[in-house]
Amino acid sequence: MISIPARPFNFEAPLSQIALIVVDMQRDFLEVGGFGSSLGNDVERLRSIIPSLLSLINTFRKYNAKIIYLKEGHKPDLSDCPNSKFRRGENEYKIGDLGPLGRILINGEPGNQIIPELSPKIGEIIIEKPGKGGFYKTNLNEQLESLKISHLIFSGVTTEVCVQSTMREAMDRGYETLIVEDATESYFAQFKKSTLEMIISQGGIVGCISNVATIMNSLETRPI
């Protein structure tokens, strides 16, 4: 059993029942020339979490704990991209357009790949999602059930959109959820702050919150 100090309640479960969810750490959102920068955003804000998130990932790997990567992307023919999503954003490139990193938010394109610094290892699960939430039109729930996972630790980008959406979906499905404060980021500082406050409000209405150092220490010092 691991007990991770967190707010507003501690996050406790056997390590075998915990999975680290890494949300959308892909080139389209974290590199110049991708979808995020085409919207006029400063990608360096998102890149600031790479070192801390890598440390957390490596600690999970050290103990053979489960890691699941989510990637937002669409089929090349855009048949899974609703018009309401396609039209959003006043930017240079639309979803599916050819940009510096290949076609924007299209599965298999260079920009759709996880950034090299966080490249998944063989055997780690990668799930492509057409929506903001990780459960929408994916097999994420089936994967978690097959692994007997009950507790999810969330990291990645952006805090207020895909991370929060997936976290809320997870809670509705009965998973215990924790967000890692220094392993998630937004293009807008106030959006991250507000989202974290929302998640832990009213006794943890969506989940709890901790940080990389605390989680790593809890894994390193857990009873064997």
Side-chain angles (χ1 to χ4, degrees):
M1 179 71 70
I2 294 174
S3 181
I4 299 173
R7 294 179 289 134
F9 52 83
N10 290 348
F11 192 76
E12 300 179 338
L15 183 56
S16 62
Q17 294 178 20
I18 297 175
L20 174 63
I21 308 296
V22 182
V23 182
D24 292 359
M25 292 295 289
Q26 58 206 79
R27 297 181 66 197
D28 261 329
F29 297 128
L30 285 101
E31 292 186 10
V32 173
F35 189 60
S37 67
S38 77
L39 289 167
N41 297 310
D42 177 11
V43 297
E44 289 304 315
R45 282 196 55 84
L46 303 194
R47 295 188 64 81
S48 68
I49 66 170
I50 294 173
S52 57
L53 180 49
L54 179 59
S55 295
L56 185 59
I57 288 171
N58 283 337
T59 300
F60 265 67
R61 288 171 174 164
K62 178 180 178 180
Y63 295 107
N64 296 314
K66 298 296 186 295
I67 303 171
I68 298 176
Y69 299 81
L70 304 183
K71 293 195 307 175
E72 183 177 350
H74 297 280
K75 297 176 181 178
D77 64 2
L78 297 179
S79 60
D80 58 354
C81 182
N83 286 333
S84 57
K85 181 178 182 180
F86 180 78
R87 292 195 303 267
R88 291 295 182 270
E90 296 177 357
N91 53 309
E92 182 181 0
Y93 300 107
K94 292 291 186 184
I95 296 172
D97 285 351
L98 182 62
L101 302 180
R103 294 184 67 202
I104 296 289
L105 286 185
I106 297 299
N107 296 331
E109 293 288 325
N112 184 249
Q113 304 309 308
I114 303 295
I115 58 172
E117 296 92 332
L118 302 180
S119 290
K121 301 288 187 183
I122 294 174
E124 293 175 348
I125 297 170
I126 303 172
I127 293 178
E128 296 175 338
K129 61 184 181 69
K132 307 302 183 187
F135 291 87
Y136 175 67
K137 291 190 175 181
T138 74
N139 68 347
L140 176 57
N141 196 57
E142 290 77 9
Q143 293 266 19
L144 294 172
E145 288 181 343
S146 70
L147 296 169
K148 302 188 185 310
I149 297 296
S150 59
H151 288 59
L152 303 177
I153 294 178
F154 285 89
S155 63
V157 301
T158 60
T159 312
E160 76 277 11
V161 184
C162 295
V163 178
Q164 179 182 207
S165 293
T166 308
M167 202 169 173
R168 289 177 180 273
E169 288 180 334
M171 188 203 67
D172 283 345
R173 288 165 172 78
Y175 296 97
E176 294 288 345
T177 62
L178 178 149
I179 189 167
V180 190
E181 184 171 14
D182 51 349
T184 183
E185 194 51 85
S186 169
Y187 296 119
F188 308 97
Q190 69 272 28
F191 290 176
K192 174 181 175 178
K193 181 176 183 294
S194 296
T195 301
L196 296 180
E197 290 173 352
M198 256 186 278
I199 286 169
I200 64 172
S201 68
Q202 300 180 71
I205 195 166
V206 177
C208 59
I209 184 172
S210 190
N211 58 65
V212 169
T214 299
I215 296 170
M216 288 174 58
N217 183 65
S218 297
L219 266 65
E220 297 279 2
T221 60
R222 78 191 195 285
I224 303 299

